[in-house]
Amino acid sequence: MQTIRVGVSSAHSKSAPYHSTRQPTRKPIPAQDKAGLTYRDAGVDIDAGEALVQAIKPLAKSTARPGAAAGLGGFGALFDLKAAGFSDPILVSTTDGVGTKLKVAIESGRHDTVGIDLVAMCVNDLVVQGAEPLLFLDYYATGKLDVAAGRSIIAGIAEGCRQAGCALVGGETAEMPGMYADGDYDLAGFAVGAAERGSLLPREDVRAGDVILGLESSGVHSNGYSLVRRIVARCGLGYADPAPFDKRLSLGGALLAPTRIYVKSCLAAVRIGAVKAMAHITGGGLIENVPRVLPADVVAEIDARAWTLPPVFGWLAKEGGVAPHEMARTFNCGIGMVLVTAPENAVEAVHTLSQHGETAHVIGSIRSRDGDEPQSQVSGTEGW
């Protein structure tokens, strides 16, 4: 198969020419003053882009899986669904970014974990629909390409793909001087997965009496960082300072803990028929994300006393004066994935998830909805 990573591109390298009906008046440059220009003179270093491509080829190759090889250099990527074991698949696709957590990485000078975040934000959204992630592509844009930082970022992307079991089949590296300040960059990710027809989630039989399970998060994950950074600034802290909630780590190191990838554990629970619905707890927290997978006639009652609030969230709540309800609708608060299961399947689901490395808690239940009341209600937050 062919895969792609373009070394570098300008902002308009793949666009049709831009034509304006009003041309500015410009004084012509005398012929004797016109020097021959190169792309490098304009701020785009093709050699650096090619150096990055060569540096990351082994990283992409390490993510090869059935259905996809993982090489770089072509113009498109192919995937063989039959070779991946599917007979009547439905494709599922997602896209996401890392958000302002990137500012923490940039200011900390640490770029090795945000690639994992990028993959996690996409593949965790795939698995909640019962889909197995198959392939991943990234978009990495910066003002001036730093090959070492770029390789570190894409090494993280490759690690995330290995954790999720999907192939890194391509991407785009765009060097765009004038678009980004020195050292700044942005990331976007694109994932494609598949599920056999008839096996997609959520199922239609979510009903009163079902059990809600919560899987522990690895930290703040990749949401709410505009608020996190505001709180850090209010406290007058630097990212090299010891984390107030964990003196073993720098503040930057603690806040850059990568988003947990729940793919393999959740797919194992899905494949034994133990899962009716799942919700990835991202921006919007427990309040906004859980209703997205529920039928209109039920409510999720979640008891926050069922798990221990991680110290980072306690610190954010205290230093930011963030109210419990605002915490629950902004952050994951220690629960990165929610699953709904029938009562008779709850024990088996917890056992399977635990076997695959998750710390799972029974955090609530489903009940019938009364009128138009909110569909996710979190109690027991008084200690937050």
Side-chain angles (χ1 to χ4, degrees):
M1 61 169 279
Q2 288 187 321
T3 58
I4 177 172
R5 174 167 287 279
V6 176
V8 291
S9 72
S10 68
H12 297 291
S13 64
K14 294 185 178 178
S15 306
Y18 175 79
H19 298 286
S20 172
T21 57
R22 299 180 62 191
Q23 297 294 331
T25 302
R26 295 194 178 114
K27 187 177 180 180
I29 300 173
Q32 65 270 22
D33 294 336
K34 292 181 180 178
L37 295 176
T38 66
Y39 213 0
R40 187 192 294 267
D41 294 328
V44 179
D45 190 342
I46 295 174
D47 293 333
E50 181 57 26
L52 179 59
V53 171
Q54 296 306 316
I56 65 179
K57 278 184 176 180
L59 300 173
K61 187 175 181 180
S62 72
T63 69
R65 54 151 294 151
L72 299 176
F75 286 94
L78 307 179
F79 193 94
D80 186 342
L81 288 164
K82 183 176 286 188
F86 290 91
S87 57
D88 188 16
I90 299 292
L91 292 179
V92 183
S93 58
T94 61
T95 184
D96 212 331
V98 183
T100 59
K101 186 174 186 176
L102 291 179
K103 294 295 288 183
V104 180
I106 291 164
E107 292 179 31
S108 300
R110 287 190 53 179
H111 310 287
D112 56 332
T113 60
V114 289
I116 301 174
D117 289 301
L118 183 67
V119 176
M121 295 302 291
C122 295
V123 298
N124 285 341
D125 281 357
L126 283 181
V127 76
V128 300
Q129 295 171 91
E132 175 187 350
L134 302 175
L135 58 91
F136 190 86
L137 300 99
D138 70 273
Y139 176 76
Y140 165 42
T142 185
K144 182 173 177 56
L145 189 59
D146 179 329
V147 175
R151 187 193 182 284
S152 186
I153 291 163
I154 295 166
I157 294 172
E159 172 58 24
C161 287
R162 288 190 292 269
Q163 290 183 27
C166 63
L168 175 58
V169 298
E172 170 75 355
T173 301
E175 187 174 28
M176 299 188 290
M179 285 289 289
Y180 297 90
D182 255 1
D184 280 354
Y185 60 87
D186 200 8
L187 296 174
F190 313 88
V192 177
E196 293 291 357
R197 192 179 304 274
S199 66
L200 290 169
L201 298 178
R203 284 167 28 186
E204 296 180 355
D205 60 343
V206 175
R207 58 173 59 98
D210 284 343
V211 174
I212 302 173
L213 306 178
L215 306 185
E216 288 191 358
S217 68
S218 55
V220 185
H221 284 183
S222 300
N223 301 100
Y225 274 82
S226 293
L227 178 56
V228 170
R229 291 168 49 244
R230 179 79 174 267
I231 293 169
V232 169
R234 174 187 281 192
C235 293
L237 293 171
Y239 292 115
D241 295 335
F245 48 88
D246 188 344
K247 300 296 185 184
R248 299 168 300 173
L249 301 171
S250 68
L251 180 57
L255 293 176
L256 288 171
T259 306
R260 187 165 180 80
I261 293 176
Y262 298 98
V263 168
K264 293 180 179 178
S265 58
C266 287
L267 280 179
V270 167
R271 287 167 178 162
I272 63 170
V275 181
K276 291 186 175 186
M278 286 188 283
H280 182 203
I281 308 305
T282 56
L286 294 161
I287 300 294
E288 304 293 340
N289 285 290
V290 177
R292 296 167 65 181
V293 299
L294 300 179
D297 61 346
V298 300
V299 167
E301 286 194 324
I302 297 172
D303 185 352
R305 293 167 293 192
W307 74 94
T308 300
L309 185 74
V312 60
F313 296 108
W315 177 76
L316 289 168
K318 178 182 177 183
E319 296 299 329
V322 186
H325 184 267
E326 184 68 13
M327 290 291 296
R329 70 189 294 265
T330 303
F331 300 113
N332 67 64
C333 296
I335 298 296
M337 185 71 77
V338 163
L339 299 86
V340 178
T341 182
E344 62 270 21
N345 293 329
V347 171
E348 186 179 16
V350 170
H351 177 69
T352 298
L353 292 161
S354 299
Q355 281 187 317
H356 285 80
E358 304 296 352
T359 302
H361 305 277
V362 175
I363 64 170
S365 61
I366 301 294
R367 66 164 173 81
S368 297
R369 189 181 187 190
D370 183 12
D372 60 355
E373 64 177 321
Q375 279 196 280
S376 182
Q377 301 183 19
V378 182
S379 62
T381 61
E382 296 80 11
W384 290 9

